[in-house]
Amino acid sequence: MISNEAKQKLISIVGIENYDDSKAGRLVYSYDATPQFQSLPDAVIAPRNTKEVSEIVKICNEYRIPIVPRGSGTNLCAGTCPTEGGIVLIFKHMNKILEIDEENLTVTVQPGVVTLDLIKAVEAKGLFYPPDPSSMKISTIGGNINENSGGLRGLKYGVTRDYVMALEVVLANGDVIRTGGKLAKDVAGYDLTRLFVGSEGTLGIITEATLKLIPMPETKKTMLALYQDLEAAARSVSKIIANKIIPTTLEFLDQPTLEVVEAYAQIGLPTDVKAVLLIEQDGPSEVVERDMKKMAEICKEEQAVSVQVAQSEAEADALRTARRSALSALARLKPTTILEDATVPRSEIAKMVKVINEIAEKYNVKICTFGHAGDGNLHPTCPTDARDREEIERVEKAFEEIFAKAIELGGTITGEHGVGVMKAPYLEWKLGREGIAAMKAIKNALDPNNIMNPGKVFAKSTRKRVVITR
């Protein structure tokens, strides 16, 4: 609970119109896109600038009030669910593109800027911001940075962290620091910029970011490769990379996902095949032509039954949009949709796809698999019903085995969704006790009163490691 004294101090900073502790207002921000997690905050506050954020944080630190910074709530790890109450900080006022610097190829933004709005703004000037999470129509840059979001173009261009050059951050004591800058080189001290990227709001609150831009690619082409064998599709992915071709996009969808996406998007996707690869390449036209030709050959060598190149940008865009809609489409199947992101080295994709299907069969659950196959980031997704406790237990056991197998194959429990609450019990499997202790030391140094998004990343208890025998 927030005392009346603390409440009045907070209202004096932001104004009564930006402080909401009504039941309805709190309910709206009690959950995010993660199933089975909901908890009411004590209040929702909308600061208008960095100074207000700093003053809010000072009061929260004094009164030990938890703070959960939130973008659009599209994350899938319960990272913005206020599990310990406190305040949810929203950035609807701090949503401006402050500068597009065409000389230094940077853009400086506030955290509430919507990702797609940023992409369109820089593309209007012939520049390119590659990170493109599937939620980019509504996700914000602040949320992208907190979760280190990926996207379809991550294989070739990297993820959010690769484009964050500088940050303005409010620390847990209210101090404001600036990290990095518009510099190609900067080794002055610890790389604090990278420390805050992906920290899920547990170390500080990002109030401004300077992001790297690159020139727009000259041209791009998109093709669809169809398979009657899941493992053949997965082998194609490994073989394309082994041939030293790095496509912009290399996405995988299995038949159950295809059926649901086509029913949702209705663009003519084939539903009579076991899997498809959505492949895109961009760059100089001669390079694109050469790479597309070679990738088509590889797919046919690996038993693709058809390889089709999109005949227009409209057709290509429809394919990309259909892929981005996979979660929305799958969410129509059952009341609860659990989407995960186990990630393995690219060379292990075929094994991982096979294992996911075996585990689904073992626990008698439906798992649809799609994802960024080119960078090993698969999204096994289970349509289920949270009201059916027996089925939910089977789903949870299935995902435990999937995480364990991913680590066994040299992978990780999350490639882009983050840890939050959902993956926290498994983090020790990946990092070990010593790794967790090192992270806690950083957390305790920057946030000794544990007010910054408490209850996230660090689990209250760790799951016993699953041993897989086959």
Side-chain angles (χ1 to χ4, degrees):
M1 291 289 292
I2 297 174
S3 68
N4 189 59
E5 182 181 33
K7 174 179 174 177
Q8 294 309 316
K9 287 183 178 181
L10 291 166
I11 289 172
S12 71
I13 295 167
V14 298
I16 189 68
E17 70 277 12
N18 291 311
Y19 183 98
D20 187 357
D21 60 0
S22 68
K23 183 74 178 289
R26 292 185 296 133
L27 187 64
V28 171
Y29 294 99
S30 65
Y31 59 93
D32 53 29
T34 317
Q36 303 187 84
F37 289 91
Q38 186 169 15
S39 179
L40 283 171
D42 296 306
V44 180
I45 300 180
R48 292 165 289 196
N49 52 55
T50 300
K51 185 176 186 300
E52 288 188 357
V53 174
S54 173
E55 293 303 314
I56 290 165
V57 170
K58 287 175 183 176
I59 290 169
C60 288
N61 199 38
E62 178 185 352
Y63 289 90
R64 308 294 193 264
I65 300 168
I67 309 173
V68 181
R70 177 186 170 108
S72 295
T74 57
N75 81 87
L76 292 159
C77 64
T80 54
C81 180
T83 52
E84 300 193 14
I87 67 167
V88 169
L89 216 57
I90 60 173
F91 297 93
K92 64 181 183 180
H93 300 306
M94 298 176 67
N95 62 350
K96 296 173 184 63
I97 297 174
L98 301 175
E99 177 195 48
I100 298 175
D101 184 340
E102 296 182 66
E103 291 186 353
N104 288 302
L105 296 183
T106 65
V107 58
T108 301
V109 300
Q110 293 179 316
V113 172
V114 172
T115 313
L116 187 58
D117 291 347
L118 166 65
I119 290 170
K120 288 179 176 177
V122 300
E123 286 185 355
K125 294 182 177 291
L127 298 171
F128 188 37
Y129 178 71
D132 60 338
S134 292
S135 58
M136 65 183 184
K137 287 182 179 178
I138 54 173
S139 68
T140 65
I141 293 297
N144 291 175
I145 293 171
N146 275 337
E147 296 292 346
N148 189 20
S149 300
L152 274 65
R153 297 190 286 237
L155 169 60
K156 183 173 184 176
Y157 289 107
V159 296
T160 299
R161 132 184 105 221
D162 301 306
Y163 294 86
V164 180
M165 299 181 71
L167 293 173
E168 180 183 75
V169 183
V170 178
L171 300 179
N173 62 0
D175 286 354
V176 181
I177 64 169
R178 284 187 169 270
T179 73
K182 297 178 182 181
L183 304 164
K185 295 179 180 178
D186 183 3
V187 293
Y190 295 147
D191 191 346
L192 294 177
T193 306
R194 286 214 166 197
L195 176 64
F196 286 103
V197 175
S199 63
E200 302 187 27
T202 62
L203 302 179
I205 296 168
I206 293 162
T207 52
E208 188 180 297
T210 299
L211 309 171
K212 179 175 73 173
L213 304 174
I214 59 176
M216 278 283 287
E218 287 178 29
T219 186
K220 61 183 172 184
K221 283 200 169 184
T222 306
M223 71 181 177
L224 209 60
L226 316 182
Y227 294 84
Q228 291 295 358
D229 181 350
L230 276 173
E231 291 179 50
R235 286 195 305 271
S236 298
V237 172
S238 299
K239 195 167 180 181
I240 286 168
I241 305 299
N243 272 267
K244 301 178 177 59
I245 301 171
I246 307 297
T248 308
T249 297
L250 185 44
E251 297 289 304
F252 170 91
L253 295 90
D254 68 4
Q255 188 173 27
T257 308
L258 276 171
E259 290 171 349
V260 176
V261 169
E262 172 55 21
Y264 178 80
Q266 297 183 1
I267 63 164
L269 284 173
T271 57
D272 57 346
V273 292
K274 298 297 183 186
V276 304
L277 293 180
L278 173 63
I279 307 171
E280 188 167 82
Q281 183 60 298
D282 65 12
S285 56
E286 63 274 17
V287 173
V288 172
E289 290 292 340
R290 181 195 68 204
D291 287 352
M292 293 295 278
K293 182 180 178 183
K294 180 62 178 175
M295 288 188 289
E297 290 172 1
I298 290 169
C299 292
K300 289 173 182 174
E301 287 169 8
E302 289 297 334
Q303 301 166 4
V305 295
S306 171
V307 179
Q308 306 160 4
V309 177
Q311 297 303 304
S312 66
E313 174 53 28
E315 185 181 341
D317 190 57
L319 291 171
R320 290 190 292 270
T321 301
R323 160 59 188 89
R324 292 186 202 282
S325 71
L327 175 56
S328 300
L330 288 164
R332 304 198 311 168
L333 292 182
K334 282 198 169 185
T336 307
T337 306
I338 300 177
L339 182 151
E340 285 298 350
D341 72 326
T343 302
V344 294
R346 292 183 283 235
S347 58
E348 302 290 356
I349 278 283
K351 285 183 190 173
M352 194 66 210
V353 169
K354 184 171 183 286
V355 165
I356 289 169
N357 290 333
E358 289 173 353
I359 291 171
E361 188 175 338
K362 174 181 175 181
Y363 288 100
N364 189 29
V365 294
K366 180 182 179 73
I367 295 182
C368 305
T369 302
F370 64 95
H372 319 301
D375 51 25
N377 185 193
L378 292 174
H379 293 310
T381 304
C382 184
T384 182
D385 188 339
R387 296 167 296 185
D388 185 341
R389 293 311 307 167
E390 188 273 332
E391 182 175 84
I392 284 291
E393 284 179 16
R394 283 186 281 115
V395 171
E396 288 174 350
K397 286 177 182 176
F399 279 122
E400 276 193 22
E401 284 208 20
I402 288 169
F403 298 151
K405 187 62 181 180
I407 292 171
E408 186 183 309
L409 292 173
T412 184
I413 59 172
T414 175
E416 59 185 4
H417 290 174
V419 177
V421 183
M422 196 157 185
K423 298 284 182 65
Y426 309 103
L427 188 59
E428 193 176 301
W429 295 4
K430 172 62 179 170
L431 299 181
R433 289 184 183 178
E434 298 81 1
I436 296 290
M439 285 178 54
K440 282 184 175 177
I442 295 169
K443 168 70 170 172
N444 292 337
L446 290 175
D447 181 20
N449 293 323
N450 193 30
I451 64 165
M452 291 291 181
N453 208 5
K456 312 298 162 52
V457 180
F458 302 106
K460 290 181 172 64
S461 63
T462 300
R463 296 287 180 104
K464 185 178 179 183
R465 180 70 179 270
V466 174
V467 178
I468 296 178
T469 55
R470 303 211 177 276

